[in-house]
Amino acid sequence: MGLIVLSLVSGGAAPAQADWATSSSYRADPYAGERPSWRASRAALPAPDDPAYSAVSGDHRLQWPLYVLDSVAAWSLYPGAYFDASTRPEDTPIVAVIDTGIDPNHPDFENPGAGGADVSQGGQILLSAARGFGCPDATDEHGHGTHLAGIIAAAANNAEGIAGLGYPVRLLPLKVADESGLANQADLAAAIVYAADQGASVILIGFTGPAWSREVQEAVDYAWERGCFLVAPAGDAGDGPPMFPGACPHVFAVAPTTIDGAVAWYASAGDQVALCAPGGDEAAGVYSTLPTYACTLRPDPGGPPYGFAFGSAQAAAHVAAAAGLWLGSAPEAPAGAANRLLWRRLQQSAVPLDESQEGWRPDSGYGLLSPAALLAGDRPLETEPGGIVGRVLSAGAPVAGAAVTAVGEGGATYTAYTTGPAGAFRLAHLPPGTYTVSAATEDASGLWEGAVVQAGCDTPAVDFSLGGPPCDSEVMEAALPAAAVCGRDLLLTLRFRNTGEGDWTRREGHCLRYTGDDAAAPPAGLEYDLPPDTPVAPGGEHTFSIPWRAPERYGYYRLAFQMAQQGGVGRFGETAEQTVAVSSFLDVPPDYWAVSSIEAVKAAGVAQGYPDDCYLPGKTITRDQMAVFIARALAGGDQAVPTGPATASFPDVPRDHWAFKYVEYCHSEGVVQGYADGYHPEGVVNRGQMAVFIARAMAGGEESVPDEGCLEPVFPDVPCDFWARKYIQFIKAAGVTSGYPDGLYHPEITCTRDQMAVYISRAFGLE
């Protein structure tokens, strides 16, 4: 069965209350000068009132990791509030902690007003689902599990002890080890399966060991296939061998950093490292909850039930907490595919440890965890390299020593080899793009086409299953849009029939793969698994429902999906594809003559279109509509347009007229003057009149429009004595108009909404 041990380098009791202070003579934040500018501007929540959050011990804050990670900035983005027993949400993500259990009576797992630590009482813990494996219950006899639990989910702003980074989540403690800190692989595997079945979104495993276990790997695969995100320590073995389960495929392994921003001296390095996070060392450990009674880490129960410990498990706990925050805040994370997307987002939002870090490193992964950047959706430069991680199986067994090669669109070739008993590989430092990946052994080979590498992250779970059945298929239904509004969320429906001779199964790697344009890729990722334990027999069909968000940038995008076998031979079936016209308005396709101007006025808040997502570009502009366009452009958006005076300036535009404030604002700015009997709001505007309005808006009123004189016609149909000559001359000189292809201006032609967008975008520099 094999034994595994806690990822724990050292531990210590809490400092005496007299050692706490609130002075500013603590060690400075080592990351302060390296943070992106958003970090200093988004912290709207006040600091929590937990005493240890603001207290210092020696030369550093007790909860220094929360300062390094800008926790308050992250909490301001999600959940945006602190909770008491009555306001705590009931459906937040479940984070399972598989370790030594928990102290169910610790006061720091109770929100203000709670009747206990259970979520049903207003607390933080799912005590009704907590259980032991190889142990009678989940009571912590060691202390390590309670320590990790506090890092993740100690109640924040409860005036008690510490604040947990992931305080909105619900904690599921699962015990697999007693006071010795030893556990066996069978109990760990059973706990992983149980956590997945209980609906855990994140599973933190606090143990490490040098031996790979097929039993544990199968449990990991079971949880991964059900959408769980599994986090584990990368290991505390220094230059020793890879440590498991952190080195298992489908597990996100985390390395520890110190208060000084360096990778800890004891940290294990290698291909398994995905990210780093605060784990501490002897100089400054991680301060968290310990049992209120005597245990291995706290043999003397006197003093506050808190203490220091350091190790890569503490680092992994911070990542598990951040993962829970993201899952609670992310509407883009569909069930079953959130783990792949979260993997990428955690890495893409990481902060480099130093100026030399570009992309992945074996000691720190893609850099330091940044919860606020994760929640804000910040991304790296598009040129930052990414990677591919996965494994090679043959007849269901891992293959060591297989050659894995990725060939890019330009022919560049990258090669790695599977290592160790897990059959895992890493292709690192790949430029973003689409790759054909192959795996080869002496007896078999497989191909994976269309593996998309994004900037600053791994493409996870590129798993090869050599020798499996092919994935021949026929498209039976493809509900893909021909047109879509920029940024609009849609649901794509695709139905495929198995035309091959063997079953499609998730275990054999059969899946739906996106092979269309990268810029239009669904947010859930590029592969969509079949349901667990639900094979599709020959002649059978399966329907996929895929959330898709149209790109924010207008253009034509190719959506394409195929049934595929991950790394198998003869994998691909028939393609379901559609070229989608994406724009802000359904009646203004990406190749429309004025699309760039219409998109510009939409982005600037000048034009909003109609409720049916149309712009009606050829519709004639009236004087009230013209006033709306110009007023919004002058003011900088609709909300900035003043409400107008108490008394109407024109009798036919009273205060209750829909365009009152716009007409009044244009009047106050010298753009419109009206007629002797009113404004005539429904009168159409011709191109000569439009030149007047635009020239006045650009110049700052009638008196400011210059008259440069006229020696020859501005246009053949705009002679020197034409009534609007100086205005047309002014906007022509400013590059607002160049007339029609026939060389004429056509001042008497009525102006349309597309022409209005062109005038506005050019006059106000919106393009």
Side-chain angles (χ1 to χ4, degrees), residues 686-747:
N686 63 33
R687 287 170 53 83
Q689 294 168 331
M690 184 56 63
V692 176
F693 298 135
I694 293 295
R696 288 173 179 169
M698 293 177 66
E702 171 64 31
E703 300 301 325
S704 299
V705 179
D707 187 347
E708 302 295 340
C710 181
L711 298 178
E712 58 184 24
V714 179
F715 291 97
D717 56 346
V718 182
C720 292
D721 60 353
F722 186 72
W723 71 272
R725 185 266 310 162
K726 80 166 184 176
Y727 307 99
I728 298 171
Q729 185 177 21
F730 178 74
I731 64 171
K732 180 184 179 183
V736 174
T737 183
S738 58
Y740 280 79
D742 62 4
L744 304 178
Y745 182 71
H746 297 289

Side-chain angles (χ1 to χ4, degrees), residues 52 99 112 174 190 255 284-285 315 372 375 410-411 439 460-461 689 701 712 732 741 762:
D99 205 85
L174 302 176
L375 295 175
Q689 294 168 331
E712 58 184 24
K732 180 184 179 183
R762 292 176 180 173

Side-chain angles (χ1 to χ4, degrees), residues 591-607:
D591 57 356
Y592 189 76
W593 75 272
V595 64
S596 62
S597 296
I598 294 171
E599 292 286 342
V601 296
K602 170 67 165 59
V606 173

Side-chain angles (χ1 to χ4, degrees), residues 371-654:
L374 173 68
L375 295 175
D378 285 11
R379 301 287 188 271
L381 297 175
E382 288 301 314
T383 57
E384 186 169 331
I388 297 173
V389 293
R391 65 177 172 185
V392 178
L393 303 177
S394 180
V399 178
V404 182
T405 302
V407 179
E409 294 165 309
T413 302
Y414 306 82
T415 301
Y417 294 89
T418 56
T419 59
F425 69 88
R426 171 178 288 279
L427 289 159
H429 301 285
L430 305 183
T434 302
Y435 292 80
T436 297
V437 188
S438 62
T441 66
E442 292 182 359
D443 303 319
S445 63
L447 194 68
W448 186 323
E449 297 179 339
V452 177
V453 173
Q454 298 179 6
C457 67
D458 292 327
T459 297
V462 178
D463 299 337
F464 289 84
S465 183
L466 306 184
C471 197
D472 299 325
S473 64
E474 179 182 359
V475 178
M476 305 302 293
E477 178 186 2
L480 304 176
V485 175
C486 293
R488 183 67 53 82
D489 289 321
L490 300 173
L491 189 67
L492 312 181
T493 301
L494 301 114
R495 180 162 52 94
F496 291 83
R497 183 166 68 91
N498 183 352
T499 59
E501 299 179 354
D503 289 353
W504 294 345
T505 67
R506 190 166 184 166
R507 178 66 66 183
E508 291 292 342
H510 296 105
C511 64
L512 180 69
R513 176 149 330 134
Y514 176 76
T515 58
D517 291 340
D518 293 353
L526 306 175
E527 298 89 33
Y528 299 85
D529 295 325
L530 293 167
D533 307 320
T534 307
V536 180
E541 298 180 357
H542 183 74
T543 300
F544 295 88
S545 296
I546 301 172
W548 180 68
R549 177 169 295 172
E552 298 291 343
R553 172 71 180 175
Y554 71 90
Y556 287 101
Y557 297 89
R558 177 177 175 266
L559 296 178
F561 296 87
Q562 292 176 313
M563 285 301 300
Q565 185 197 4
Q566 299 172 346
V569 179
R571 302 110 7 251
F572 293 110
E574 191 173 284
T575 300
E577 60 183 323
Q578 173 70 56
T579 297
V580 186
V582 177
S583 58
S584 293
F585 303 102
L586 295 176
D587 58 349
V588 183
D591 57 356
Y592 189 76
W593 75 272
V595 64
S596 62
S597 296
I598 294 171
E599 292 286 342
V601 296
K602 170 67 165 59
V606 173
Q608 298 174 347
Y610 290 86
D612 59 355
D613 292 321
C614 289
Y615 182 75
L616 304 185
K619 185 178 180 181
T620 300
I621 281 284
T622 56
R623 288 170 57 83
D624 47 9
Q625 294 171 338
M626 177 275 303
V628 174
F629 274 84
I630 294 180
R632 288 173 177 166
L634 280 172
D638 192 78
Q639 297 301 317
V641 179
T643 57
T647 304
S649 301
F650 303 101
D652 52 354
V653 186

Side-chain angles (χ1 to χ4, degrees), residues 87-482:
T87 60
R88 194 199 193 290
E90 298 180 355
D91 57 352
T92 56
I94 297 173
V95 177
V97 178
I98 302 176
D99 205 85
T100 63
I102 198 167
D103 175 1
N105 298 311
H106 199 293
D108 219 348
F109 295 112
E110 299 180 14
N111 290 293
D118 189 77
V119 292
S120 65
Q121 301 170 299
Q124 299 288 90
I125 310 172
L126 288 166
L127 290 176
S128 61
R131 61 170 293 185
F133 296 82
C135 309
D137 57 36
T139 302
D140 189 0
E141 302 168 88
H142 185 280
H144 192 257
T146 302
H147 197 268
L148 299 185
I151 293 171
I152 297 170
N157 210 50
N158 67 341
E160 181 78 39
I162 68 168
L165 175 61
Y167 69 84
V169 307
R170 293 175 290 165
L171 196 76
L172 175 59
L174 302 176
K175 179 179 178 179
V176 295
D178 57 18
E179 71 276 4
S180 68
L182 298 177
N184 66 61
Q185 306 278 16
D187 288 337
L188 174 58
I192 294 171
V193 171
Y194 177 81
D197 289 344
Q198 290 296 310
S201 300
V202 180
I203 301 174
L204 170 65
I205 305 167
F207 292 84
T208 63
W212 177 80
S213 162
R214 182 163 189 160
E215 190 172 17
V216 171
Q217 183 66 65
E218 289 179 349
V220 165
D221 295 345
Y222 178 89
W224 175 266
E225 289 169 359
R226 283 154 180 78
C228 300
F229 183 74
L230 297 100
V231 189
D236 305 323
D239 295 331
M243 303 299 283
F244 296 91
C248 286
H250 305 157
V251 175
F252 195 87
V254 186
T257 58
T258 66
I259 192 172
D260 293 320
V263 176
W265 60 268
Y266 55 83
S268 298
D271 285 349
Q272 77 275 14
V273 178
L275 203 69
C276 60
D281 61 6
E282 303 93 333
V286 177
Y287 190 73
S288 186
T289 48
L290 288 175
T292 54
Y293 44 81
C295 63
T296 303
L297 288 187
R298 189 171 177 256
D300 181 2
Y306 300 88
F308 295 100
F310 62 92
S312 54
Q314 279 67 30
H318 285 109
V319 171
L325 290 176
W326 184 83
L327 287 167
S329 70
E332 62 178 332
N339 48 10
R340 298 174 187 267
L341 182 58
L342 175 55
W343 189 299
R344 291 175 170 134
R345 296 292 186 260
L346 279 163
Q347 293 176 327
Q348 288 181 320
S349 59
V351 176
L353 284 188
D354 52 56
E355 294 181 356
S356 67
Q357 179 161 9
E358 183 178 356
W360 178 84
R361 290 196 324 208
D363 62 340
S364 59
Y366 281 89
L368 179 72
L369 170 70
S370 179
L374 173 68
L375 295 175
D378 285 11
R379 301 287 188 271
L381 297 175
E382 288 301 314
T383 57
E384 186 169 331
I388 297 173
V389 293
R391 65 177 172 185
V392 178
L393 303 177
S394 180
V399 178
V404 182
T405 302
V407 179
E409 294 165 309
T413 302
Y414 306 82
T415 301
Y417 294 89
T418 56
T419 59
F425 69 88
R426 171 178 288 279
L427 289 159
H429 301 285
L430 305 183
T434 302
Y435 292 80
T436 297
V437 188
S438 62
T441 66
E442 292 182 359
D443 303 319
S445 63
L447 194 68
W448 186 323
E449 297 179 339
V452 177
V453 173
Q454 298 179 6
C457 67
D458 292 327
T459 297
V462 178
D463 299 337
F464 289 84
S465 183
L466 306 184
C471 197
D472 299 325
S473 64
E474 179 182 359
V475 178
M476 305 302 293
E477 178 186 2
L480 304 176

